[in-house]
């Protein structure tokens, strides 16, 4: 999603979100990487990476670019195309900052504390999901993800369902060796069982 806001009559501000709460906590490593990319605005091609809310670890990261409106339509079109290309490049580079996923010895015990797990996920903490994706066997990953998601769906709390499923989907997209399709159908069928589509 790209937002274009007029600052003054002659300027506009183009912005897009590169890291949101759905991507997990805005860790020190990610903020440090953003600062490195901001240095001299070479990697950002004149734009800037900004955190929101200011300094908030629970917040996100926007990429913004300010340019003059006093240009030809072709020039503005080029500016927007360059902005999109730069945004995609920064998006990938920020995600390369993630540390290798590790499995905790207490993973299964932690998963039993569903309410605590859901609260953490809703607050942007993806640690438990990262540990699941770090399991060596795809079938183990599938069973634990479905168990967690089914519990959220069975609660019939639409807000919780959305946050948990979105968190799983976003993290799955960063795992090149995991096929999200193997759980998508099961999740869809479970949602249909509870007629949740009728309520939303």
């Amino acid at each position: 999603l790209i937002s274009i806001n007029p600052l003054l009559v002659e300027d506009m501000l183009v912005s897009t979100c590169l890291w949101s709460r759905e991507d997990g906590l805005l860790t020190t490593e990610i903020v440090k990487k953003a600062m490195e990319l901001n240095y001299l605005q070479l990697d950002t091609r004149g734009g800037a990476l900004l955190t929101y809310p200011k300094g908030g670890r629970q917040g996100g990261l926007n990429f913004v670019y300010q340019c003059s409106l006093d240009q030809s339509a072709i020039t503005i079109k080029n500016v927007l195309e360059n902005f999109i290309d730069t945004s995609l490049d920064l998006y990938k580079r920020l995600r390369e900052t993630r540390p290798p996923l590790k499995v905790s010895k207490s993973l299964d015990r932690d998963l039993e504390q569903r309410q605590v797990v859901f609260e953490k996920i809703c607050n942007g903490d993806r640690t438990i999901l990262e540990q699941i994706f770090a399991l060596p066997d795809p079938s183990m990953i599938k069973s634990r993800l479905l168990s967690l998601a089914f519990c959220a769906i069975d609660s019939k709390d639409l807000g919780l369902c959305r946050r948990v499923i979105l968190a799983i989907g976003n993290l799955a997209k960063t795992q090149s060796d995991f096929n999200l399709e193997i759980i998508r159908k099961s999740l869809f069928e479970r949602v249909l069982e509870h007629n949740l589509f009728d309520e939303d």
Side-chain angles (χ1 to χ4, degrees):
L1 177 64
I2 295 176
S3 174
I4 302 176
N5 298 311
L7 290 177
L8 300 168
V9 177
E10 17 346 274
D11 291 330
M12 70 175 178
L13 185 71
V14 189
S15 66
T16 189
C17 179
L18 296 185
W19 194 282
S20 67
R21 288 183 62 178
E22 281 73 23
D23 294 303
L25 292 175
L26 196 59
T27 63
T28 304
E29 290 78 14
I30 296 164
V31 174
K32 182 180 177 183
K33 180 67 174 181
M35 291 172 66
E36 290 173 357
L37 292 169
N38 269 341
Y39 183 65
L40 298 179
Q41 294 183 307
L42 295 176
D43 292 300
T44 59
R45 300 179 192 173
L49 289 162
L50 306 174
T51 60
Y52 68 90
K54 191 175 180 180
R57 191 165 178 264
Q58 296 284 349
L61 198 62
N62 278 353
F63 174 53
V64 298
Y65 183 82
Q66 182 178 346
C67 63
S68 172
L69 284 172
D70 187 21
Q71 303 180 72
S72 68
I74 293 177
T75 301
I76 291 178
K77 177 177 177 286
N78 289 336
V79 166
L80 293 176
E81 288 176 349
N82 287 334
F83 178 83
I84 292 171
D85 290 342
T86 306
S87 298
L88 291 172
D89 177 57
L90 295 172
Y91 180 90
K92 291 175 184 175
R93 291 172 72 174
L94 286 168
R95 275 149 185 76
E96 291 169 357
T97 309
R98 287 181 185 271
L101 300 182
K102 295 180 181 179
V103 182
S104 165
K105 293 180 180 178
S106 62
L107 174 60
D108 287 323
R109 188 174 69 245
D110 293 340
L111 281 171
E112 291 173 4
Q113 302 175 28
R114 290 285 195 266
Q115 205 54 45
V116 175
V117 171
F118 289 151
E119 186 176 326
K120 287 182 177 180
I121 290 175
C122 289
N123 287 327
D125 188 340
R126 302 290 180 265
T127 306
I128 195 78
L129 295 177
E130 290 173 351
Q131 290 179 19
I132 292 174
F133 277 107
L135 291 167
D137 185 350
S139 64
M140 294 170 67
I141 297 174
K142 177 184 175 182
S143 66
R144 283 161 178 78
L145 287 178
L146 287 178
S147 174
L148 193 63
F150 283 175
C151 190
I153 294 169
D154 293 345
S155 74
K156 295 190 177 182
D157 181 334
L158 293 178
L160 176 63
C161 292
R162 180 184 176 279
R163 288 188 181 94
V164 171
I165 293 174
L166 196 59
I168 290 172
N170 285 340
L171 191 54
K173 291 174 187 175
T174 68
Q175 309 303 309
S176 57
D177 54 350
F178 182 79
N179 182 7
L180 187 58
E181 293 301 321
I182 66 175
I183 65 170
R184 194 190 302 273
K185 182 180 177 183
S186 299
L187 292 177
F188 184 72
E189 290 173 350
R190 191 72 162 214
V191 168
L192 284 179
E193 279 179 30
H194 290 293
N195 296 315
L196 293 183
F197 285 124
D198 295 336
E199 299 175 25
D200 190 5

